[in-house]
Amino acid sequence: MSEFWVINASPVILLAKAGLMERVSSLAENFVIPQPVADEIFGVHGEDAAARWLKERGKSFIRPAVAELTELSGSEIGSGERSVISWAAAHRGFIAVLDDHEARVIAQRLGVRILGTVGVVLRLKQAGFFRSEA
């Protein structure tokens, strides 16, 4: 599967807690975590699984934020969601990995392709990272 992903905090947090971030980072051809997303994870979650992953193997995926889209000013979504949507809009081949409903609606309205944590897990299953138990 040759996809480019820019991922928000909640998917990183959930997937890291499940021990799946190493698999996720090998699934997408190009994988980006904008700096505001990393800052949110470090600031809010301290030393949880997501912060530990970002400090170690995940640090190579952190990239500076791009200029925020003017269409996002006045929206109620957080800085992480805004940075993910702005990155995906600036880099048209990227899929925004978001769980927040309002952020997903805004991204779609701006023509940004989206994927959620459940979609990531389904892609992991399709790629053979999980085996079915009989």
Side-chain angles (χ1 to χ4, degrees):
M1 182 175 308
S2 180
E3 292 184 326
F4 297 176
W5 294 352
V6 55
I7 189 166
N8 193 39
S10 60
V12 172
I13 293 163
L14 292 169
L15 294 163
K17 283 182 181 180
L20 297 173
M21 281 309 299
E22 283 306 314
R23 291 177 176 170
V24 169
S25 60
S26 68
L27 188 60
E29 182 178 324
N30 195 343
F31 183 76
V32 170
I33 299 170
Q35 187 65 54
V37 172
D39 293 343
E40 180 180 337
I41 291 169
F42 290 137
V44 175
H45 298 281
E47 287 298 318
D48 70 354
R52 285 190 302 276
W53 180 81
L54 272 179
K55 286 181 182 176
E56 297 165 6
R57 295 180 182 212
K59 66 183 168 188
S60 65
F61 301 105
I62 300 171
R63 300 286 181 272
V66 299
E68 189 173 298
L69 295 172
T70 56
E71 294 91 342
L72 299 175
S73 64
S75 70
E76 299 284 324
I77 62 175
S79 64
E81 285 91 354
R82 290 192 311 269
S83 70
V84 166
I85 294 168
S86 296
W87 179 280
H91 301 89
R92 278 298 173 178
F94 277 77
I95 297 171
V97 182
L98 299 159
D99 287 337
D100 181 84
H101 176 72
E102 185 177 350
R104 291 169 64 96
V105 169
I106 292 169
Q108 287 180 311
R109 188 180 71 230
L110 295 171
V112 171
R113 293 181 3 198
I114 61 169
L115 181 67
T117 301
V118 172
V120 171
V121 171
L122 290 174
R123 279 174 167 74
L124 287 168
K125 181 171 175 35
Q126 290 169 346
F129 287 110
F130 303 116
R131 292 190 312 191
S132 298
E133 299 294 323

